[in-house]
Amino acid sequence: MNWEKKKRELRYRWFSWKHFPELTPSTEEIDVVIPIISKDLRTLSLCLDGIRHCVANKVKEIFIVAPVQREILSFCKTNDLVFVDENSIFGYSPMSLNIITNDGRNRSGWLFQQFVKLSGKIGSCRYYLCIDADHVLIRPHVFLTEKKETVFYLSYEENQFYYDMIHRILPELEILNLSYVDHKMLFDKEQVAQLQESISRNCGVESWQKAILDNLDFNTISGFSEFETYGNFVQKKVLRPWFQKRLPYSKMKDYDTLRRKYSGSRWSLTFPDYMRQNKKLKINS
């Protein structure tokens, strides 16, 4: 048994049993940014239902960051989403990063979408919510309080490679004993700019992206986490448990059914691609 993992889960359970006062959302508008590729269209409709029903803050626009593909463009047009060509953000494509781990796996797209979330380049609002396309909110979530505090939803996930990376690029940063990896996060463009500058300064390079690339551990497929890095960096914040449940694609239903079935004990659901079981699903576009 992994005792460190067990202790982390017990620590999360103790945290989740605490009393949490109700949060009042800020009246300030936020944008939503969702990086996707075509396979994410399988779950994106449910993700959007969750955003529209359960984000307590007022959403100005929803941006889809993706490659230029007909089915994605059609989905965005049908669902009143703002499409952003992923190549336009930094002036290069995901594959141009050429991130190949030592076991031969290409992680360029995986790292690129993290760069997108940390870019602060999308939307007109100061605050923007990034959420994974396979993540579905089924209970109301406040992400920015009336006191302008960011609300982070904590999990018991653990990846030592993430923390090792943080120590390399931000060596003095104190790391929380629970995880910020929870499939969604509100970013403040002012805080993002400060984080970028801190990473560049600590690593002695001009570009925060280059600092991350220079410090990647190629012995793992998951050597960096934008959520862990940003969550630990922000000082003024409110913490809440995530109350999330993973489900296989075979359990996927319409949004109202999922909310009725699971919202009594869970705040969100995730349908990971590795649990897809090769089941073909109809895309609502």
Side-chain angles (χ1 to χ4, degrees), residues 28-53:
E28 184 164 349
E29 289 184 320
I30 67 171
D31 285 319
V32 175
V33 177
I34 313 176
I36 72 163
I37 55 177
S38 59
K39 71 176 180 62
D40 295 317
L41 294 176
R42 304 184 187 106
T43 55
L44 184 55
S45 291
L46 286 173
C47 177
L48 294 171
D49 285 337
I51 292 167
R52 288 164 175 157
H53 285 88

Side-chain angles (χ1 to χ4, degrees), residues 67-181:
V68 179
Q69 295 176 353
R70 183 182 57 81
E71 59 184 339
I72 295 176
L73 294 172
S74 175
F75 186 96
C76 290
K77 183 177 181 180
T78 302
N79 291 277
D80 195 26
L81 308 171
V82 181
F83 174 80
V84 178
D85 179 358
E86 63 184 13
N87 294 346
S88 70
I89 299 174
F90 304 114
Y92 58 80
S93 69
M95 289 303 103
S96 67
L97 290 175
N98 196 33
I99 305 300
I100 310 296
T101 60
N102 290 339
D103 63 358
R105 282 183 274 189
N106 192 315
R107 299 294 279 168
S108 302
W110 168 81
L111 186 63
F112 184 87
Q113 58 88 20
Q114 296 192 62
F115 282 179
V116 168
K117 294 173 187 175
L118 286 177
S119 71
K121 289 177 173 288
I122 301 168
S124 60
C125 296
R126 171 179 169 179
Y127 298 93
Y128 59 100
L129 172 66
C130 291
I131 185 168
D132 294 343
D134 61 1
H135 193 63
V136 184
L137 306 179
I138 55 175
R139 291 275 293 274
H141 284 64
V142 174
F143 290 96
L144 185 67
T145 73
E146 60 181 345
K147 297 179 181 179
K148 298 298 178 65
E149 294 174 314
T150 303
V151 183
F152 293 95
Y153 294 88
L154 302 179
S155 74
Y156 50 81
E157 299 292 319
E158 183 175 20
N159 184 333
Q160 187 58 45
F161 292 107
Y162 294 161
Y163 310 133
D164 292 343
M165 178 64 157
I166 291 174
H167 287 309
R168 289 196 291 274
I169 61 176
L170 296 168
E172 297 182 1
L173 190 63
E174 184 176 346
I175 297 175
L176 190 70
N177 57 13
L178 286 173
S179 176
Y180 290 93
V181 177

Side-chain angles (χ1 to χ4, degrees), residues 209-222:
Q209 297 167 61
K210 184 177 188 308
I212 293 170
L213 291 168
D214 288 348
N215 283 279
L216 273 180
D217 184 345
F218 288 86
N219 290 312
T220 176
I221 62 170
S222 302

